[in-house]
Amino acid sequence: MSGSESAELGQADVDQSVRQICANGISMQTNVVEAKLDEGNIQEAESALREGLSLNFEEARALLGRLEYQRGNVEGALRVFDGIDLQAAIHRMQPSVTDKQPSKKGRTRSIESVPGISQHAAGLVLEAVYLKAKSLQKLGRLTEAARECLSVLDAVEKIFDNGIPDVLVENKLQETVSHAVELLPELWKQAGCYSEAMSAYRRALLSQWNLDNDCCARIQKAFAVFLLYSGVEVCPPSLAVQIDGSYVPRNNLEEAILLLMILMRKVYLGKIKWDPSVLEHLTFALSVCSQTSVLAKQLEEVMPGVLNRIDRWRSLALCYSAAGQNKTALSLLRKSLHKHEEPEDVLSLLLAAKICSEDVFLAAEGVKYAQRAITNAQGGSNEHLKGVGLRMLGLCLGKQAKVATSDFERTRLQSEALKSLDGAMALEHENSDLMFELGVQYAQHRNLETALQYARKYVDATAGSTLRGWRLLALVLSAQQRYSEAEVVTDAAFDETVKWDQGPLLRMKAKLKKSQSRYSDAVEPYCHLLSLVQAQRKSYGPFRNAPQVEEDKVKEYEVWHGLANLYSTLSRFKDAETCLEKARDLIEYSADTLHAEGMMFERQGKNDQALAAYVNALLVDPNHVQCKILLGALMAKMGSNMLSLARALLSDALKIEPTNRVAWYHLGLVHRDDGRVADAADCFQAASMLEESDPIESFSSVI
């Protein structure tokens, strides 16, 4: 029996407890070899091993190098490894072409079936190359280390031409291969060779190395982290490794998400242990591409007991809120804030208040959440969140004011809202979001000078990088009848905004031209806007979810609706009807479409058809302000017996939108025709004052 057939490769080779080296059933004390190594006599140490354990030259040198490496003498180990031709030894172990042919049963030959080849010998030599790579890594010679490690994998692929079989491979040899597969991409990364690192990761995951689940999971996680944070854009997998019909990631982010979701699936199936960092990386990746609904599904699949129940509810609420599913998010937060759970959790209270601040019918509930958050934030570890609580309180009060039942109540709530926002600004002087929200609040209260100051502060604070700041500034200027300046601001915003985000600016540009009675000039911006919206809809990738699809329909619908109104104003009624048909194809039943249709009929003198269109619009949306106004104005023209109904409709419109100058004007006409001169004068005065501060779009449209 040759030494290569029986050299032990396990931990027994160098027994750390008794300091012995064992091979071929023979053992010897390490102190004999170590003494010669300490004296620098490598050849004598090698001879001692060969004679004492019946080893050949490569085996003796490999064991000697391992002994030096385990003693911490990296440079000594490297000198030993350099003393033998490891590549030649590997070459001798590679089977010939005839040996590589598969057996009659189609199975891959094991290494033992090739004459002269021993798994023990192969494992010993491959481990020597691996340890040489580790030694070079510790000495900072990273590129050399990577090449040595690469040679291990190349040799394995040549020895096992169809990949390592699931059986017939000794544990120590498999361990060496697994370590080499995992080490290679790390070495390339440390050497700054990122393209090679990417190739090494893909080779590790796509080739048959017979890796265990834990090793494979570590490589998948490391590759996902590399894709997410390296800043290096890698190319998609080559066509050679793509399977027909399978999903192929197009960029770093998609590939990282795919890897992380595979890891999460392995956790659910019990193949690997729970690793919280995998969920953290997946949270980051899905949040970056706005796929929080997918993240919510992943959180829901985590087994009970792995995550804290309250933390899971809060995270799910964040996901659903970001995905636009506020009802579901608020339901989860109500559970987490139950008196038997964590009713005073400041973060949950703030998130609940934020969700409520977006809905007039939930604003009162949001006020309570915000007040509790402020109370719990005072004097504790969450003191820094008091400003956020005041901000949420101000937003909720402002929203609640819109559904106030009396003018007195509305004024009180608006005053408290501004007081809360000012208090938040006193605590957070540099908070740009607060500057923006204060600008909107003051603009809605028609305090245009103060609103203009905050709008300019916000644009300066964000260096003009956000679209909403430019829009608010242009709207305030338009409310001050400074249309030419508003156009200058809009043009400046185009220079600071990427093409995909220019839709709202194009719409504003068209409305600015309409406000100056330049109706023909307004057509061009609308056409550009339509082209942009349609191009955006076609360019979305596979991650496009149902809410996004619906949002795209609404965007295109709004453009067709705006064009229809514009053509109707220009008396191009055939074009207006075509636009309305396009709008109906996107949203079949809409009060806005019926409103535009009614205006077109009214301009054509078809009052009965206009009346029917307005009535139908209110059946679809009973709170549609524009239809209430136009229906009331149309009824006022139908005789004195319809004045009371017209007055009721216009009053309802003003309850919903108290700053609508058109409603005040038509209500004044109704009062005049009804003989109420004083009331008519008050209405005309309100309409005149509002006309002087009427923006081209509602200030709430920028929120």
Side-chain angles (χ1 to χ4, degrees):
M1 180 182 294
S2 68
S4 63
E5 291 177 335
S6 58
E8 296 292 330
L9 294 178
Q11 292 300 321
D13 284 330
V14 181
D15 193 322
Q16 299 295 333
S17 60
V18 296
R19 305 300 298 165
Q20 288 184 339
I21 302 177
C22 302
N24 297 329
I26 308 170
S27 63
M28 65 180 294
Q29 298 291 327
T30 60
N31 56 1
V32 176
V33 180
E34 289 174 344
K36 296 183 182 296
L37 289 173
D38 291 338
E39 295 171 1
N41 297 322
I42 296 177
Q43 292 183 346
E44 291 184 18
E46 174 211 319
S47 298
L49 276 177
R50 293 179 65 182
E51 294 171 3
L53 298 176
S54 300
L55 300 174
N56 61 31
F57 175 78
E58 287 86 1
E59 291 171 336
R61 279 279 176 149
L63 280 177
L64 196 60
R66 186 205 294 173
L67 179 60
E68 282 284 64
Y69 184 83
Q70 290 175 337
R71 293 172 66 203
N73 186 3
V74 177
E75 293 182 354
L78 195 57
R79 284 194 297 272
V80 173
F81 291 134
D82 285 337
I84 57 175
D85 190 349
L86 297 174
Q87 299 306 319
I90 292 172
H91 182 72
R92 287 197 298 272
M93 288 186 293
Q94 293 171 7
S96 65
V97 176
T98 55
D99 292 329
K100 291 182 183 179
Q101 298 301 320
S103 64
K104 292 182 179 179
K105 294 183 179 180
R107 296 181 181 176
T108 303
R109 284 178 178 264
S110 76
I111 195 169
E112 297 288 2
S113 67
V114 181
I117 296 178
S118 165
Q119 286 202 42
H120 297 303
L124 192 57
V125 175
L126 290 175
E127 185 192 37
V129 184
Y130 169 73
L131 292 178
K132 183 179 180 181
K134 291 289 291 182
S135 301
L136 289 166
Q137 180 190 23
K138 292 186 177 182
L139 293 173
R141 297 159 61 179
L142 299 171
T143 303
E144 294 177 63
R147 288 173 182 153
E148 292 293 337
C149 192
L150 180 62
S151 68
V152 175
L153 303 185
D154 290 341
V156 171
E157 286 190 333
K158 290 178 181 178
I159 295 170
F160 301 94
D161 57 313
N162 291 325
I164 299 180
D166 294 338
V167 293
L168 306 176
V169 176
E170 145 180 294
N171 290 339
K172 189 63 178 179
L173 175 57
Q174 179 64 62
E175 183 181 334
T176 300
V177 173
S178 299
H179 287 327
V181 170
E182 193 171 355
L183 177 63
L184 181 58
E186 297 300 322
L187 290 173
W188 285 126
K189 283 195 300 184
Q190 293 172 20
C193 302
Y194 300 115
S195 178
E196 288 81 357
M198 179 271 294
S199 299
Y201 274 125
R202 287 189 175 145
R203 183 183 184 185
L205 297 174
L206 295 172
S207 299
Q208 186 175 343
W209 303 111
N210 195 30
L211 305 175
D212 61 43
N213 286 327
D214 290 336
C215 180
C216 185
R218 288 194 300 271
I219 295 171
Q220 288 173 325
K221 177 184 169 183
F223 190 21
V225 170
F226 173 74
L227 290 166
L228 285 175
Y229 311 116
S230 67
V232 179
E233 188 64 34
V234 301
C235 57
S238 65
L239 294 174
V241 299
Q242 295 179 15
I243 302 173
D244 291 340
S246 63
Y247 169 69
V248 180
R250 299 179 302 173
N251 52 47
N252 284 29
L253 190 59
E254 291 184 11
E255 192 165 2
I257 290 172
L258 180 61
L259 288 165
L260 293 168
M261 293 181 75
I262 289 172
L263 287 171
M264 292 294 287
R265 177 60 57 187
K266 287 182 177 180
V267 171
Y268 305 149
L269 296 175
K271 293 183 177 180
I272 60 174
K273 293 181 180 179
W274 168 252
D275 183 354
S277 66
V278 172
L279 182 58
E280 291 169 5
H281 294 309
L282 185 59
T283 299
F284 169 77
L286 290 172
S287 300
V288 166
C289 60
S290 302
Q291 296 300 313
T292 52
S293 58
V294 179
L295 178 59
K297 184 177 180 181
Q298 293 294 318
L299 287 168
E300 289 172 345
E301 290 182 356
V302 176
M303 294 298 290
V306 174
L307 295 175
N308 176 275
R309 181 171 57 179
I310 305 300
D311 291 340
R312 188 204 295 256
W313 286 342
R314 188 191 301 121
S315 298
L316 281 169
L318 274 168
C319 292
Y320 284 123
S321 175
Q325 301 179 45
N326 284 343
K327 184 176 180 181
T328 304
L330 188 58
S331 177
L332 288 163
L333 289 170
R334 285 168 176 159
K335 289 171 63 176
S336 70
L337 291 170
H338 190 271
K339 62 181 180 180
H340 296 309
E341 301 294 346
E342 293 186 12
E344 308 306 328
D345 179 63
V346 175
L347 292 177
S348 296
L349 288 167
L350 289 174
L351 180 56
K354 181 182 182 301
I355 292 172
C356 292
S357 72
E358 299 173 8
D359 189 332
V360 293
F361 300 108
L362 295 172
E365 182 181 353
V367 169
K368 296 176 182 178
Y369 290 135
Q371 289 172 338
R372 285 164 57 187
I374 295 168
T375 301
N376 290 309
Q378 291 177 344
S381 59
N382 292 315
E383 180 74 29
H384 63 289
L385 294 175
K386 182 179 177 182
V388 182
L390 286 168
R391 175 185 164 199
M392 292 300 112
L393 179 59
L395 294 177
C396 289
L397 288 168
K399 192 70 73 171
Q400 188 181 5
K402 294 185 176 182
V403 291
T405 55
S406 66
D407 291 340
F408 173 78
E409 182 69 9
R410 182 183 302 109
T411 303
R412 182 185 68 81
L413 290 171
Q414 289 174 342
S415 177
E416 289 183 11
L418 284 174
K419 182 179 178 181
S420 295
L421 290 173
D422 285 330
M425 180 57 74
L427 295 173
E428 301 180 10
H429 307 284
E430 305 300 324
N431 190 323
S432 59
D433 289 334
L434 261 176
M435 297 175 192
F436 175 80
E437 285 154 3
L438 274 166
V440 173
Q441 289 290 329
Y442 277 113
Q444 289 177 331
H445 300 156
R446 295 305 192 268
N447 188 341
L448 297 180
E449 285 301 324
T450 306
L452 187 62
Q453 291 176 16
Y454 277 111
R456 284 173 171 162
K457 280 184 180 180
Y458 179 75
V459 171
D460 291 340
T462 57
S465 61
T466 60
L467 178 61
R468 66 178 187 171
W470 292 108
R471 290 183 63 203
L472 176 60
L473 183 56
L475 283 178
V476 174
L477 289 170
S478 73
Q480 294 179 321
Q481 314 300 309
R482 296 158 66 177
Y483 297 118
S484 59
E485 292 178 61
E487 284 196 81
V488 171
V489 169
T490 306
D491 291 337
F494 277 109
D495 296 334
E496 300 294 331
T497 311
V498 297
K499 183 179 180 180
W500 278 154
D501 295 336
Q502 290 178 355
L505 293 175
L506 287 166
R507 185 170 61 247
M508 287 188 70
K509 189 173 183 178
K511 290 184 177 181
L512 280 169
K513 294 183 183 300
K514 285 176 63 179
S515 299
Q516 300 171 74
S517 300
R518 295 159 54 191
Y519 299 109
S520 298
D521 294 341
V523 174
E524 183 180 357
Y526 267 120
C527 291
H528 287 167
L529 176 58
L530 181 61
S531 300
L532 178 64
V533 170
Q534 290 177 336
Q536 284 176 326
R537 180 164 52 85
K538 294 177 181 177
S539 67
Y540 283 120
F543 280 144
R544 193 160 168 255
N545 54 31
Q548 286 175 325
V549 173
E550 192 61 31
E551 183 181 353
D552 293 340
K553 283 186 178 180
V554 172
K555 285 181 180 178
E556 186 174 348
Y557 166 83
E558 289 173 350
V559 181
W560 286 116
H561 178 262
L563 269 173
N565 283 334
L566 184 58
Y567 285 135
S568 178
T569 304
L570 292 168
S571 299
R572 294 169 57 177
F573 300 116
K574 187 174 181 180
D575 290 336
E577 182 59 37
T578 300
C579 292
L580 287 175
E581 287 297 327
K582 295 287 187 181
R584 288 192 197 96
D585 290 341
L586 294 166
I587 301 178
E588 186 173 1
Y589 301 105
S590 169
D592 287 333
T593 304
L594 291 165
H595 164 251
E597 191 177 71
M599 290 179 64
M600 184 178 67
F601 286 138
E602 194 170 352
R603 288 190 178 103
Q604 292 176 293
K606 301 176 181 179
N607 289 344
D608 290 342
Q609 291 171 278
L611 187 67
Y614 295 144
V615 171
N616 288 334
L618 289 175
L619 291 173
V620 175
D621 180 4
N623 292 319
H624 196 284
V625 173
Q626 300 302 323
C627 284
K628 284 180 180 288
I629 295 170
L630 291 175
L631 182 59
L634 195 58
M635 286 187 168
K637 297 176 184 178
M638 296 172 67
S640 58
N641 59 332
M642 302 297 289
L643 290 178
S644 58
L645 183 55
R647 184 167 55 250
L649 286 167
L650 293 167
S651 298
D652 284 345
L654 286 170
K655 285 181 182 178
I656 300 170
E657 197 175 309
T659 57
N660 192 302
R661 66 177 180 85
V662 179
W664 283 111
Y665 172 74
H666 284 291
L667 185 59
L669 291 177
V670 170
H671 284 315
R672 184 199 64 185
D673 293 345
D674 203 23
R676 302 179 181 183
V677 180
D679 290 340
D682 290 340
C683 290
F684 289 141
Q685 184 178 9
S688 177
M689 292 175 61
L690 288 170
E691 186 177 16
E692 294 174 1
S693 59
D694 195 31
I696 56 172
E697 288 183 358
S698 170
F699 289 114
S700 60
S701 66
V702 299
I703 300 175

